[in-house]
Amino acid sequence: MEFINVLAAAAAGFGVGAIWYGVLSKPWIKLSGVEVGADGKPANNTNPTPYIMGFLAMILVAWMMRHVFELSDITTIEQRSSFRLWYWSVPRRSVVDDLLWFCRSPN
C-alpha cells in the first residue's frame, strides 16, 4: 500500500512540474540557450531520457519523504504540513534539476 502512495506522490509531483515548466518554458529556453526547431520547441524534444530520469527522481524523493515521515513519527496532516513548510523553505538544488542537467544533449 505504501508503494502505491509513493507512486501517486511521484506522479503528482511530476505532473505539477510538467505544468510549471510547460508554462515557463519559453523564458527558460531563451535563457538556457537550448537549440530550438522551427516550431520554437527544443530540437531534441522526442528524447524520453530526461522524462524517465525525472520521474525516477520523483519516485526517489517521494520514497525518501515517506521514510522521513515514518522515522519522525509524523502521523497527522498538521505535522506533515509543518514539516513540508520547513523542509521546502531551505534553499537547495533539486535532484531532478541535477539529473536533467546530466541528461541534456551535448552542444
Side-chain angles (χ1 to χ4, degrees):
M1 184 66 169
E2 291 299 326
F3 189 67
I4 293 172
N5 293 341
V6 168
L7 284 178
F14 191 79
V16 168
I19 292 168
W20 179 267
Y21 288 110
V23 170
L24 300 176
S25 65
K26 291 195 186 309
W28 177 84
I29 289 171
K30 184 178 179 181
L31 290 173
S32 67
V34 170
E35 187 177 324
V36 295
D39 59 358
K41 294 182 179 178
N44 69 342
N45 66 349
T46 58
N47 182 5
T49 304
Y51 305 107
I52 293 168
M53 295 300 293
F55 187 68
L56 292 175
M58 292 303 288
I59 290 173
L60 177 66
V61 169
W63 180 76
M64 286 304 299
M65 284 193 75
R66 187 199 102 22
H67 187 66
V68 168
F69 287 162
E70 187 174 316
L71 290 177
S72 301
D73 198 29
I74 296 175
T75 56
T76 66
I77 288 289
E78 293 83 13
Q79 290 172 330
R80 288 181 185 210
S81 298
S82 176
F83 175 81
R84 286 184 184 124
L85 174 68
W86 290 107
Y87 178 76
W88 288 110
S89 67
V90 177
R92 62 184 164 35
R93 288 189 52 174
S94 167
V95 172
V96 175
D97 291 341
D98 290 339
L99 287 173
L100 292 177
W101 176 258
F102 289 116
C103 293
R104 71 189 189 285
S105 63
N107 292 337

